[in-house]
């Protein structure tokens, strides 16, 4: 989800999160989707009803990875998965 902060504000308004829109004014879609349940609760100032509803709606959204890497150490049968959300050049 590559939504700009403006698109996030529109989404929050569209989904009736009027009481917390101003608290998320600088968050992009990726930023919002990376928040934990506790992060959302703190940002919502302990408003449990709003934070639970927001967390639930955000977790219904699936983030598609751009690339998935499987890595292992030499002589090991154990692999770790790395999900890349954005790609950059060095």
């Amino acid at each position: 989800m590559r939504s700009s902060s403006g698109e996030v504000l529109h989404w929050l308004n569209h989904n009736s999160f009027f009481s917390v829109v101003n608290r998320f004014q600088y968050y992009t879609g990726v930023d919002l989707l990376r928040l934990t349940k506790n992060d959302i609760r703190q940002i919502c100032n302990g408003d449990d009803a709003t934070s639970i509803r927001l967390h639930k709606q955000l977790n219904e959204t699936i983030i598609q990875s751009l690339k998935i890497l499987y890595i292992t150490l030499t002589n090991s049968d154990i692999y770790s998965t790395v999900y890349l959300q954005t790609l950059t050049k060095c």
Side-chain angles (χ1 to χ4, degrees):
M1 173 174 258
R2 298 179 191 278
S3 302
S4 68
S5 57
E7 291 169 319
V8 166
L9 294 179
H10 176 75
W11 182 85
L12 289 168
N13 279 310
H14 180 74
N15 288 282
S16 303
F17 290 104
F18 308 114
S19 64
V20 295
V21 168
N22 63 330
R23 296 184 185 149
F24 292 98
Q25 64 183 331
Y26 300 111
Y27 284 76
T28 64
V30 171
D31 296 334
L32 205 59
L33 292 171
R34 287 183 178 157
L35 294 175
T36 65
K37 187 175 188 176
N38 192 44
D39 292 336
I40 294 170
R41 188 171 185 273
Q42 288 178 356
I43 294 168
C44 291
N45 247 2
D47 180 350
D48 287 336
T50 301
S51 63
I52 290 168
R53 191 167 62 90
L54 179 56
H55 182 263
K56 185 176 182 327
Q57 285 193 345
L58 291 173
N59 284 300
E60 290 175 353
T61 305
I62 298 171
I63 305 172
Q64 189 71 11
S65 298
L66 295 176
K67 293 283 183 188
I68 301 173
L69 304 175
Y70 301 96
I71 56 174
T72 186
L73 298 175
T74 305
N75 298 324
S76 175
D77 292 335
I78 300 173
Y79 284 81
S80 296
T81 309
V82 178
Y83 299 95
L84 301 177
Q85 305 301 328
T86 58
L87 302 177
T88 58
K89 282 191 198 179
C90 292

